[in-house]
Amino acid sequence: MLKKLSLSAALAVTVGAFAPGAVYAGTEEVKKEVVVVEEEAPAFSGWVSFDINSHFISYGSDVWGGGTTWKRGVFNPSAELAWATPIKGLTALVGTWWDVNNNAQSSIGGYIQEVDVWAGLSYAYEDLSLTVLYQAWNYGGKTEQILDVILKYSNNNFLNPALTIHNRLNPGAAEGGGGKDGTFFVPNISYNFKVWEVTITPTAAMGLCTDDFHGGGGGYAYTALGIGASVPIPYLPGDWELHGGITYYNTNNEVIPNNVANNFVTGNMGVKLSF
């Protein structure tokens, strides 16, 4: 499902003892010691996001069959809480993502079609990070269980490459209840640049999977090329942003046979509060 602390420094100036020996008349020679005091980062941080999406795409699969139209839109609220553990670089994560729409009768209640939760750990060293997440995707009266391993190099001078290894441990209601366990490998790259106050992010990803993950063969499953943008929202309390983007998908119907179209474009718009 799938989606980045600054420290301020204070300067303390200490006046040292007078230097020994002769000095010029009317002057005093002093030693100045500059001490940099680092402010501790908050132990807890997180975000809450409210998004409208034209499609629900799960690893190349067009879940609600929107195809080349935008008539199967969904509302996807999500949130994540991070705890900076006492171990330097190690962060504990918990989060949730919901799919809300009237595209089918809900097995949960109302318009809520799916409620996903996740928990895991992320370790960062300089520009490298390794994240391991266990996820439970609750929909269709069953629970699909996932273990994600995400390796990322976040250096904007080198296209921010990442690799997601998405392991399905239990298919739950995947593929109408006939899904199989398997693995997706998704290498991707992104880049950020700013125009005025707008951060623009082009992205590119490719998905490869094992046999029968989406009811078809294995191998090349999809390519996704996107461009997103975000801008701070002024005058609101807290750190709010407005974001949106479009993504072009090319999918392989021998690997993902249930998509209504092999080539389509999706859209997204939402607001996010970071804390």
Side-chain angles (χ1 to χ4, degrees):
M1 301 282 145
L2 65 130
K3 352 218 229 103
K4 309 160 167 203
L5 298 169
S6 62
L7 299 176
S8 61
L11 296 180
V13 179
T14 304
V15 179
F18 293 130
V23 295
Y24 292 104
T27 67
E28 294 178 336
E29 184 178 323
V30 298
K31 294 180 179 179
K32 294 183 179 181
E33 180 184 356
V34 178
V35 179
V36 177
V37 180
E38 291 189 350
E39 182 180 305
E40 288 188 5
F44 290 93
S45 60
W47 51 263
V48 179
S49 189
F50 305 92
D51 290 81
I52 296 174
N53 288 286
S54 64
H55 297 64
F56 174 9
I57 307 300
S58 181
Y59 288 84
S61 175
D62 183 3
V63 173
W64 296 116
T68 57
T69 73
W70 287 17
K71 297 180 179 180
R72 295 268 181 168
V74 296
F75 173 55
N76 300 130
S78 57
E80 185 174 86
L81 181 65
W83 173 50
T85 74
I87 302 174
K88 184 177 180 180
L90 184 66
T91 302
L93 305 168
V94 293
T96 186
W97 178 93
W98 293 26
D99 183 28
V100 183
N101 63 75
N102 62 353
N103 291 328
Q105 185 174 353
S106 170
S107 62
I108 299 174
Y111 293 142
I112 302 174
Q113 304 289 350
E114 181 172 344
V115 175
D116 301 347
V117 293
W118 64 83
L121 295 171
S122 181
Y123 180 76
Y125 176 75
E126 295 183 349
D127 294 331
L128 282 171
S129 67
L130 175 66
T131 303
V132 179
L133 294 176
Y134 168 78
Q135 303 189 56
W137 297 357
N138 303 286
Y139 63 95
K142 297 183 179 181
T143 300
E144 182 178 352
Q145 298 181 52
I146 302 295
L147 182 67
D148 279 346
V149 179
I150 306 163
L151 181 64
K152 184 181 296 185
Y153 180 73
S154 298
N155 184 321
N156 209 45
N157 296 322
F158 193 61
L159 296 180
N160 304 315
L163 172 66
T164 297
I165 304 174
H166 176 78
N167 302 283
R168 180 190 281 163
L169 307 178
N170 186 310
E175 313 306 325
K180 300 290 191 300
D181 296 347
T183 301
F184 247 95
F185 301 90
V186 185
N188 65 85
I189 55 175
S190 64
Y191 186 77
N192 302 318
F193 63 93
K194 295 192 74 170
V195 176
W196 187 56
E197 292 295 321
V198 181
T199 300
I200 299 174
T201 307
T203 61
M206 181 174 64
L208 305 100
C209 68
T210 54
D211 284 344
D212 214 22
F213 192 99
H214 280 317
Y220 167 74
Y222 71 90
T223 295
L225 304 174
I227 186 165
S230 65
V231 62
I233 303 176
Y235 312 121
L236 289 180
D239 184 10
W240 287 90
E241 71 169 32
L242 172 69
H243 57 254
I246 57 173
T247 303
Y248 163 75
Y249 282 89
N250 168 263
T251 64
N252 181 355
N253 61 1
E254 294 183 356
V255 176
I256 312 176
N258 295 323
N259 280 0
V260 298
N262 294 328
N263 296 277
F264 51 91
V265 175
T266 68
N268 157 270
M269 180 166 286
V271 294
K272 181 178 182 180
L273 170 64
S274 299
F275 56 89

